[in-house]
Amino acid sequence: MQQLSLFENNQLDRITNVSSVPQRSPFRYPGGKTWLVPRIRQWLDSLQKQPSEFIEPFAGGGIVSLTVAFEDLANHVTMVEIDEEVAAVWHTIINGDGEWLAAQIVNFNLSQTSVNTVLTVNNILIQEKAFKTILKNRVNRGGILAAGAGTIKSGENGKGLRSRWYPETLKKRIIEIMKRRERITFIEGDGMEVLKANAHRTDAVFFIDPPYTAAGKKAGSRLYNYSEIDHEELFRLASAIAGDFLMTYDNTEEVRQLAQKHGFDTQTVAMKNTHHAKMTELLIGRNLDWCR
């Protein structure tokens, strides 16, 4: 298949050109996995048969789950997210009134005053919370939703708040997701519990991308409202999965030790962070021969 050419000659140090990956998500998500999409395709293509269900316990911006749904890489996709703001967006698009959300976005007259008005209103309906979340995600620096994040100042080419506000593009992405929502289930809840409840299934695969709070880095606490998880327990749950799984983590000694303790295979893969600095992340699975 054409996508495998990205991995010929073991070139895992080749950084994915994210502009070559279809942008499906309405979010610009800190820690997003657009750069990993070609590896996700390769992983799923390496399996003996197409999974009945693809489960992402920490969905966030959802680019991986959306890619799987759009490209028919699994029969069904289940996205799980505990953050109530992010969940409001997925509820609205997948289970609710996505047309309203799309219309609200394209009809919004964006200014500092209108943004402040929306962001200071509380006790709102779920679709209104969805709009507020998309707006906050687009006007905050780095797309950060966690408390304390500031809004964009000068932005790109002096565009300020409009630097990441693309209403027609956002509308199109929402409508395209809605066309495929019969193939997507969204659950607002604890990804660890969903993983535990489905670990026995041989027909399901899991993509596990937890908040980055391991190894003392605590980056997740700055980026996400829900950043604390029990990483030891997560690895224990992963070891009980009957089907296949792929995890991605910060490339740290602590994480490597956890993987070794549970007999998992590891592989570093190159990526760039939001500041375009080259970094490596760690892929973790039972057998990663498919990416070597």
Side-chain angles (χ1 to χ4, degrees):
M1 298 176 66
Q2 185 177 4
Q3 65 216 38
L4 299 188
S5 64
L6 286 170
F7 305 94
E8 290 173 356
N9 303 319
N10 296 329
Q11 294 185 29
L12 281 170
D13 59 343
R14 177 179 295 177
I15 297 174
T16 298
N17 180 0
V18 295
S19 65
S20 68
V21 178
Q23 304 296 304
R24 312 289 193 190
S25 175
F27 288 98
R28 50 187 299 256
Y29 210 76
K33 288 297 179 286
T34 301
W35 60 272
L36 190 64
V37 163
R39 278 79 171 171
I40 296 294
R41 293 175 181 143
Q42 191 187 20
W43 165 46
L44 295 177
D45 186 65
S46 75
L47 301 178
Q48 291 185 352
K49 64 178 182 178
Q50 181 164 294
S52 295
E53 188 163 7
F54 179 95
I55 302 175
E56 187 172 3
F58 310 98
I63 182 59
V64 171
S65 285
L66 293 177
T67 297
V68 173
F70 273 67
E71 299 182 11
D72 297 324
L73 301 177
N75 297 342
H76 195 80
V77 171
T78 295
M79 302 168 61
V80 186
E81 177 56 50
I82 196 170
D83 187 298
E84 61 272 11
E85 292 182 312
V86 178
V89 174
W90 296 127
H91 273 310
T92 301
I93 297 174
I94 296 169
N95 304 323
D97 196 352
E99 293 94 344
W100 178 91
L101 179 59
Q104 192 76 0
I105 289 170
V106 295
N107 293 325
F108 185 67
N109 184 15
L110 188 143
S111 68
Q112 187 66 64
T113 299
S114 63
V115 167
N116 290 343
T117 298
V118 172
L119 297 189
T120 54
V121 174
N122 296 310
N123 300 319
I124 51 180
L125 298 174
I126 190 168
Q127 64 265 32
E128 294 171 328
K129 181 182 286 188
F131 174 70
K132 178 179 177 180
T133 301
I134 290 292
L135 181 64
K136 184 194 295 188
N137 175 250
R138 288 283 159 177
V139 302
N140 276 4
R141 288 194 297 271
I144 298 172
L145 293 171
T151 57
I152 296 170
K153 301 304 181 186
S154 58
E156 288 186 357
N157 301 318
K159 293 181 180 178
L161 291 178
R162 295 184 180 273
S163 294
R164 292 289 188 268
W165 185 248
Y166 310 121
E168 291 295 336
T169 298
L170 293 172
K171 174 184 176 181
K172 180 180 179 181
R173 291 183 189 177
I174 290 168
I175 297 303
E176 289 301 311
I177 297 169
M178 290 177 60
K179 290 178 181 177
R180 294 161 176 84
R181 58 185 177 179
E182 74 282 352
R183 302 187 64 244
I184 304 172
T185 296
F186 175 71
I187 298 172
E188 180 178 357
D190 186 343
M192 301 272 276
E193 292 301 319
V194 173
L195 197 162
K196 187 184 303 183
N198 290 275
H200 68 283
R201 295 177 53 188
T202 58
D203 64 332
V205 299
F206 300 81
F207 173 62
I208 304 169
D209 177 36
Y212 287 159
T213 54
K217 293 186 70 173
K218 302 299 181 185
S221 61
R222 178 176 56 84
L223 300 176
Y224 315 112
N225 288 316
Y226 293 84
S227 60
E228 296 297 329
I229 66 168
D230 185 337
H231 295 276
E232 287 271 6
E233 175 66 5
L234 180 57
F235 272 77
R236 189 193 68 78
L237 288 174
S239 68
I241 291 174
D244 203 8
F245 69 90
L246 181 65
M247 302 173 74
T248 179
Y249 256 94
D250 273 351
N251 184 15
T252 69
E253 182 60 30
E254 179 181 322
V255 173
R256 286 179 173 276
Q257 288 177 3
L258 276 173
Q260 184 178 22
K261 174 182 176 181
H262 291 276
F264 296 155
D265 196 2
T266 60
Q267 178 67 54
T268 57
V269 59
M271 52 87 71
K272 285 185 178 180
N273 65 13
T274 54
H275 303 292
H276 306 292
K278 183 176 179 179
M279 302 175 63
T280 59
E281 284 210 11
L282 198 64
L283 299 184
I284 303 170
R286 286 204 177 89
N287 186 332
L288 301 182
D289 286 347
W290 53 266
C291 70
R292 294 189 172 92

